[in-house]
Amino acid sequence: MLGAARRQLGSGPMLGQVLRRLRPAAAAAEVARGYSAAAKEMNVRDALNSALDEEMSADPSVFLMGEEVGEYQGAYKISKGLLDKYGPDRVLDTPITEAGFTGIGVGAAYHGLRPIIEFMTFNFSMQAIDHIINSAAKSNYMSAGQISVPIVFRGPNGAAAGVGAQHSQCYAAWYAHVPGLKVLTPYSSEDARGLLKAAIRDPDPVIFLENELLYGESFPVSAEVLDSSFCLPIGKAKIEREGKDVTITTYSKMVGYALQAAEILSKEGISAEVINLRSIRPLDRAAINASVRKTNRLVTVEEGFPQHGIGAEICMSVVEESFEYLDAPVERIAGADVPMPYAANLERMAVPQVDDIVRAAKRACYRAVPMAAAA
């Protein structure tokens, strides 16, 4: 199995090169965020690339495998320069066979290597979901701790732009349901760099859900973040903006939307606290409940489908641990409960927008216009 992993599995034009489309970056520039002593800016693409480079340099057991990660330098240029630096034994181009190269990666992890499996989109991980759940997630438990599976599954997740129902799903809730997996959802360059390093170093399988529309977004980064030893703890959320009137929990691209909503709300006298979850499994329940006990109100925001979603889990956690602190019903903002439409106008309606978050926060604060008055 390892011998197969070390061979260059495919070359030449790939179907992904035809399908690939560059999408516009996320809409408006986001409001200022409280990053400490930022010396420069870095986009998310470069943050991921530098994390891969540094971890591969530090540990020869780390290797990258996926479609177009080598010669083409990544469908989204995340692996730019890595093939030239580390060679085809550690940066392996594969055919379009997710089940095949994911299984090879899991087997390599059984034998002590640290594979990073790139999916061109997490929608394609469904072709390999048996290896991810039954082979990677369960092996440590089923072997009574004798087998560790230090593997990272990474790639873009969620809606992009104009790619239709089969390429626009958010898999956060899917994989967060599974014991044995860790699920990370970076937003900023700091998140991307620190969490990817943590994922690669972790002894357990990690699902690393990036967002295609964030790759070109730049964020301030401090000297600490740029240090090669920088690493973020798994399972710890970050308060992106402090507030006292309502808590907004979210992850990935929706963090930017929540920050924009918080800025709008501040002009209307509502102080919103924005929590960037960073980690979906494990979930930082302590941070969420501490914030709700301060603000007494909660709005959850996610791109995925509403039923059995991340917001539902957060709501239940608050009901179990902080129910007596709530002054209003929990508000949940999620994607529409329909397959993603292809038409741009319908697609926009199917994904949460800044105005949706603003309205939900106002309802939680009893500042919304009554339905009868609006009519």
Side-chain angles (χ1 to χ4, degrees):
M1 180 177 291
L2 181 56
R6 292 190 179 279
R7 290 195 296 272
Q8 187 134 350
L9 299 177
S11 60
M14 307 285 287
L15 178 61
Q17 289 175 282
V18 179
L19 295 176
R20 191 171 47 258
R21 297 164 60 181
L22 294 177
R23 282 83 172 183
E30 295 160 1
V31 296
R33 298 167 293 267
Y35 293 96
S36 60
K40 60 172 291 187
E41 289 203 343
M42 172 182 279
N43 66 35
V44 172
R45 177 181 290 105
D46 290 341
L48 293 168
N49 177 267
S50 65
L52 288 171
D53 185 10
E54 289 172 11
E55 293 306 302
M56 291 181 74
S57 177
D59 186 347
S61 69
V62 177
F63 70 94
L64 176 66
M65 179 187 295
E67 297 160 5
E68 301 186 347
V69 299
E71 295 290 345
Y72 193 76
Q73 304 195 75
Y76 302 97
K77 298 298 181 279
I78 304 300
S79 53
K80 183 177 180 180
L82 298 184
L83 175 63
D84 291 340
K85 187 170 183 179
Y86 298 104
D89 283 348
R90 295 184 64 194
V91 182
L92 294 98
D93 278 322
T94 70
I96 303 171
T97 170
E98 282 79 11
F101 65 75
T102 301
I104 289 171
V106 173
Y110 285 173
H111 286 273
L113 298 181
R114 291 183 173 271
I116 304 164
I117 303 300
E118 177 177 312
F119 297 118
M120 194 175 289
T121 161
F122 252 92
N123 297 275
F124 299 158
S125 75
M126 293 179 69
Q127 303 294 324
I129 201 165
D130 180 59
H131 289 301
I132 295 171
I133 293 176
N134 281 327
S135 300
K138 298 177 182 177
S139 291
N140 185 263
Y141 176 83
M142 295 179 70
S143 68
Q146 296 180 78
I147 299 176
S148 293
V149 191
I151 186 170
V152 177
F153 305 99
R154 53 156 296 270
N157 169 70
V163 291
Q166 295 173 323
H167 297 82
S168 300
Q169 297 171 125
C170 176
Y171 286 88
W174 290 53
Y175 288 115
H177 187 67
V178 181
L181 293 178
K182 295 175 182 176
V183 182
L184 305 182
T185 54
Y187 160 62
S188 66
S189 300
E190 176 182 314
D191 291 355
R193 188 169 154 76
L195 291 175
L196 184 53
K197 282 174 163 285
I200 295 169
R201 298 174 190 180
D202 199 87
D204 298 314
V206 178
I207 303 291
F208 197 84
L209 302 174
E210 302 157 13
N211 187 281
E212 178 183 334
L213 296 178
L214 288 175
Y215 285 148
E217 290 289 302
S218 293
F219 296 85
V221 290
S222 65
E224 177 190 6
V225 172
L226 296 174
D227 191 277
S228 61
S229 64
F230 177 71
C231 188
L232 287 173
I234 292 175
K236 293 295 182 182
K238 179 185 179 183
I239 297 177
E240 296 280 353
R241 177 178 179 136
E242 293 191 355
K244 59 183 179 61
D245 295 328
V246 60
T247 296
I248 303 174
T249 61
T250 187
Y251 59 92
S252 190
K253 186 179 71 172
M254 289 292 112
V255 176
Y257 284 27
L259 289 168
Q260 290 180 55
E263 184 68 16
I264 293 169
L265 290 165
S266 70
K267 296 174 182 177
E268 302 188 32
I270 298 175
S271 174
E273 182 149 293
V274 177
I275 297 182
N276 172 8
L277 295 173
R278 283 182 168 172
S279 174
I280 302 300
R281 185 181 184 106
L283 187 65
D284 194 348
R285 301 173 192 273
I288 295 167
N289 280 277
S291 179
V292 170
R293 292 183 182 198
K294 177 177 69 171
T295 67
N296 311 116
R297 296 172 177 84
L298 174 63
V299 176
T300 70
V301 183
E302 62 191 305
E303 274 193 59
F305 302 128
Q307 188 161 321
H308 311 305
I310 305 303
E313 178 65 24
I314 291 172
C315 178
M316 195 62 217
S317 175
V318 170
V319 167
E320 290 174 340
E321 300 180 39
S322 305
F323 180 74
E324 66 274 22
Y325 289 86
L326 288 172
D327 287 343
V330 175
E331 294 281 348
R332 178 174 58 171
I333 301 297
D337 198 19
V338 296
M340 181 65 73
Y342 178 74
N345 59 330
L346 297 178
E347 181 184 64
R348 188 179 189 281
M349 293 173 66
V351 177
Q353 303 296 325
V354 174
D355 288 345
D356 298 322
I357 304 171
V358 170
R359 285 193 293 268
K362 286 183 176 181
R363 287 194 298 269
C365 295
Y366 301 110
R367 295 278 295 276
V369 177
M371 294 296 290

